[in-house]
Structures are given as C-alpha cells and as structure tokens.
C-alpha cells in the first residue's frame, strides 16, 4: 500500500464534502494550470500551445484520481501512469526534471488552497483538515516520484538508442560504407562529423578506459571477433593523442578525412602485423610500404639478391648487412664501418666482394632495387 493510500484510509470524507470538492475541481484545475504557467519559467507561454493542453489534462486527471482516493474509491493508479508519461514527455521536449518538480510544488500549493476552500465550508471537521493536507502532499510526492521514474526511464532508453546509433556509425566507417550511408548514420546518431578521424587499435579491454580520456566525439568498438578495440578519434592532435595512450598497447593510424577512416584502420592493422613494435604508424612508413605486398617484396628480394645465394649462409648474411649499410650511408666507408662495428678495411674488402657479385652496382635501377630489397631486416620477410 502506498503512503498516499495509507493516508486515505485514515481520512473520513462524507458524501457532502466529496460532492463539494468535485464542484470546485474544474476551477481548481484551471487555477493550478495558471499558477504553473505564471511561476515556472520553462512553461511560460505554454498555455495556448500543445503543452497547455497536456498540462490541463494531467492536472485534471491527477485531481480527479485524488478525489477518488480521498473518498475511498479505487483511485490514483491512472494518475500515476499519467505522471509517469508526463516525465517521459519532459525528456522528449528537452526539459530536465527541475521544471516538472517545480510545477508539482506550485500545483500542490494551489490545489490545496482550492480544495480546502471547498472542503471546509462543506463541514470537514477541523481534525480531518490536517489529515486532508497530509494526503494532498503525500499524493503529490507520489506523482513526483512517478514522473521522475518516467523521466529516468526515457533518458535511459534514449541513451541506449544513442549508443546503438553511434556504434552502427563506427561499424559503417570500419566497413568503408558509401557517403550516403555514412551521412545518414551520422545524422541518426546526432554526431557532428569532424574534418578527420584517426584510428587507434588496442586490446578490447583497454578500449573503454582509453575512450573516456579522449575527445567526447570519439567513436568506440570493443566487440570485434579478434578481441581488438577500435577508437575513431576526431581531429586529433597527434602528439597529444600519443601521450594520452602512452601506457596502453595502442597502434595509432594516420589521420584521414572522416569518410575514409577505414584507410586509417587498414594501415593500423598492417602496422600491428609487422614484427616491429609500432605505436605511431607515421614513424614507420618505409616499413609499411615495403610490407604492403609481401609476395611482390619476396620476389623482389629473391631476384635482387640472387647473386648471394651461391655463398654460404653466414657469408651471405654479412655481405647483405654490409650492402644495407653501404646503401644507407651512401658509400661513406667510415660511417659504414661504425654502423657495422668493423674496421674500414673490412668494409673495403666486403665491398670488393659485392662489386664482383653485382657488376652493375653503380646502376641507378640496381641501386633502387637493392635498397628496396635490403630495406627490411631478414626477420621481417
């Protein structure tokens, strides 16, 4: 039994009093509506619009159910349902519960004044007046609670729907969907498209904690089949983003126009597949280029380095390391020796061997192919 119903069982309203109260019901309801319009700024100028009709119906329903309750009839349930829906409607109209709670306070005061003015002349005993007041305010409290529940439930439903729309937008971005699909998804989610998106890959369990540190417009997915979490960070300051992720196992792709975020994702995925521990893909562009087509790269290495195949594995490895250093240091013998931790004469000897194996070592095309062929360490093949 509700608090208001318990109060009603303690109150003895005779038929004469109930009849008098019903006679002032419409007038009291109109006074409550006018007071709410006048005293609660959020409802200013609402009397002539749709909200005015809603307020009138809600007040009359509430007062009618209240009199049913006070007279011992089965009342209050319908008013509670109406109050619940009123709370939901406040969310749809973009208002917080503050305005509605203020309206209830104003309504309780004015309703009590109007109803008391009808009940006392009808002969309501003084001992019952206090109980009547207690019932009035207990009833208003229950209506307030019902509206607050409706407001909270509507916010929760809308929040879940909003999250689903944002998640679908992230999935559409990941799939590289068409312009029309992405624009529609962004509109449904109420998401303001940025200029660029930067994709971050990290373990799924780290996705939500990292997401809470980033721009509020960031999109997140943490339920991909491979237990990878994906963040789409809008208009990221790259150095700041990397600092924010410094303690996490993250791979940060390049910034791309927001509708091409799938390109940032694809690069981050490739970077994560390399044996090198990559955090910022922008620091490893050469390795990413060379690993873009593994079969083509393997063919290039096999053809370019074919002369080394005739040598013992150890000798071939040393000559390949020397060739890499020689190409990277543009033939500066002292720098090559320092990079390999050998004597310059050793470099001179090895380069003699290499020139015998590669007679056209001075050819620009040969230099290009060899530079590409030794651009990655053998362990990356």
């Amino acid at each position: 039994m509700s608090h208001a119903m318990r109060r009603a069982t303690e109150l003895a309203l005779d038929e004469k009093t109930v009849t008098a109260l019903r006679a002032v019901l419409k007038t009291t309801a109109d006074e409550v509506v006018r007071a709410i319009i006048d005293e609660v700024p959020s409802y200013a100028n609402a009397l002539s619009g749709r909200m005015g009709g809603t307020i009138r119906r809600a007040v009359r329903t509430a007062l009618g159910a209240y009199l049913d309750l006070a007279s011992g009839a089965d009342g209050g349930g319908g008013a509670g349902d109406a109050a619940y829906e009123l709370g939901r409607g406040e969310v749809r109209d973009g208002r917080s519960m503050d305005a509605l709670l203020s309206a209830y306070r104003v309504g309780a005061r004015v309703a009590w004044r109007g109803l008391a003015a009808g009940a006392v002349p009808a002969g309501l005993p003084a001992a019952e007046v206090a109980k009547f007041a207690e019932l009035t305010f207990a009833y208003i409290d229950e209506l307030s609670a019902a509206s607050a529940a409706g407001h909270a439930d509507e916010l929760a439903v809308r929040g879940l729907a909003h999250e689903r729309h944002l998640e679908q937008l992230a999935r559409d971005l990941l799939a590289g969907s068409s312009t029309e699909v992405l624009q529609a998804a962004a509109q449904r989610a109420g998401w303001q498209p940025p200029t660029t998106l930067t994709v971050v890959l990290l373990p799924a369990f780290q996705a939500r904690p990292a997401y809470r540190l980033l721009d509020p417009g960031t999109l997140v997915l943490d339920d991909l089949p491979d237990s990878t979490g994906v963040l789409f960070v809008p208009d990221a300051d790259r150095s700041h983003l990397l600092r924010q992720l410094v303690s996490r196992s993250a791979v940060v792709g390049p910034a791309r126009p927001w509708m091409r975020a799938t390109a940032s994702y694809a690069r981050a995925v490739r970077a994560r597949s390399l044996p090198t521990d990559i955090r910022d893909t922008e620091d490893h562009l050469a390795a990413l280029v060379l690993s873009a087509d593994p079969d083509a790269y393997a063919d290039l290495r096999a053809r370019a380095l074919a002369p080394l195949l005739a040598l013992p594995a150890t000798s071939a490895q040393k000559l390949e390391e020397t060739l890499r250093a020689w190409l990277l240091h543009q033939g500066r013998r002292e720098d090559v020796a320092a990079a390999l931790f050998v004597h310059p004469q050793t470099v001179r000897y090895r380069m003699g061997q290499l020139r015998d194996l590669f007679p056209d070592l001075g050819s620009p095309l040969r230099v290009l192919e060899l530079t590409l062929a030794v651009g990655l360490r053998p362990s990356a093949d």
Side-chain angles (χ1 to χ4, degrees), residues 74-381:
D74 183 14
D81 291 344
Y84 179 88
E85 291 302 322
L86 192 60
R88 293 184 62 200
E90 290 296 276
V91 175
R92 290 191 288 268
D93 288 329
R95 282 187 290 271
S96 70
M97 268 300 293
D98 293 340
L100 188 53
L101 292 177
S102 296
Y104 275 125
R105 286 193 292 270
V106 171
R109 186 188 73 240
V110 175
W112 165 244
R113 186 175 62 211
L115 293 174
V120 173
L124 183 66
E128 298 298 308
V129 171
K131 295 178 182 178
F132 189 39
E134 290 176 356
L135 172 61
T136 301
F137 291 101
Y139 180 68
I140 292 297
D141 282 347
E142 291 188 4
L143 293 185
S144 298
S147 288
H151 194 276
D153 287 351
E154 182 68 15
L155 281 176
V157 168
R158 287 180 172 238
L160 288 174
H162 183 58
E163 285 296 319
R164 285 196 297 270
H165 289 320
L166 289 173
E167 181 180 308
Q168 185 57 51
L169 171 59
R171 294 188 189 283
D172 289 338
L173 286 166
L174 205 60
S177 297
S178 67
T179 298
E180 293 75 14
V181 169
L182 292 176
Q183 288 176 337
Q187 186 172 8
R188 279 194 302 273
W191 185 77
Q192 182 60 45
T195 301
T196 66
L197 283 174
T198 298
V199 166
V200 177
L201 299 185
L202 65 178
F205 71 90
Q206 293 185 5
R208 293 285 170 178
Y211 162 73
R212 287 192 285 271
L213 300 175
L214 303 177
D215 185 286
T218 298
L219 302 173
V220 58
L221 287 175
D222 60 356
D223 60 351
L224 297 184
D226 62 352
S227 299
T228 295
V230 184
L231 302 176
F232 297 84
V233 186
D235 295 328
D237 177 329
R238 195 171 192 84
S239 59
H240 180 62
L241 175 61
L242 288 164
R243 287 195 299 272
Q244 287 178 300
L245 298 170
V246 69
S247 63
R248 305 184 188 279
S249 304
V251 178
V252 182
R256 287 292 177 263
W258 78 273
M259 288 191 184
R260 293 186 54 239
T262 186
S264 181
Y265 171 74
R267 183 175 295 178
V269 168
R270 285 203 297 110
R272 193 177 53 171
S273 71
L274 297 180
T276 307
D277 183 16
I278 294 178
R279 289 183 52 78
D280 184 357
T281 57
E282 298 298 278
D283 289 342
H284 299 269
L285 292 177
L288 287 164
V289 169
L290 292 176
S291 63
D293 187 338
D295 286 343
Y297 185 67
D299 290 344
L300 173 66
R301 271 186 59 84
R303 185 178 72 183
L305 300 178
L308 297 178
L309 294 177
L311 303 177
T314 302
S315 299
Q317 182 179 350
K318 289 181 179 179
L319 288 180
E320 182 178 339
E321 290 174 351
T322 302
L323 178 60
R324 178 185 293 110
W326 183 81
L327 290 167
L328 292 178
H329 292 282
Q330 301 179 26
R332 294 188 296 271
R333 189 184 304 168
E334 297 294 332
D335 292 341
V336 174
L340 296 175
F341 301 101
V342 298
H343 193 278
Q345 281 299 107
T346 301
V347 173
R348 181 176 181 180
Y349 171 72
R350 291 181 185 176
M351 286 307 303
Q353 290 180 290
L354 286 167
R355 288 191 174 91
D356 289 339
L357 291 167
F358 300 95
D360 57 348
L361 193 54
S363 163
L365 180 59
R366 173 62 75 181
V367 169
L368 174 61
E369 286 191 349
L370 288 171
T371 300
L372 294 174
V374 299
L376 292 178
R377 294 291 179 183
S379 60
D381 294 349

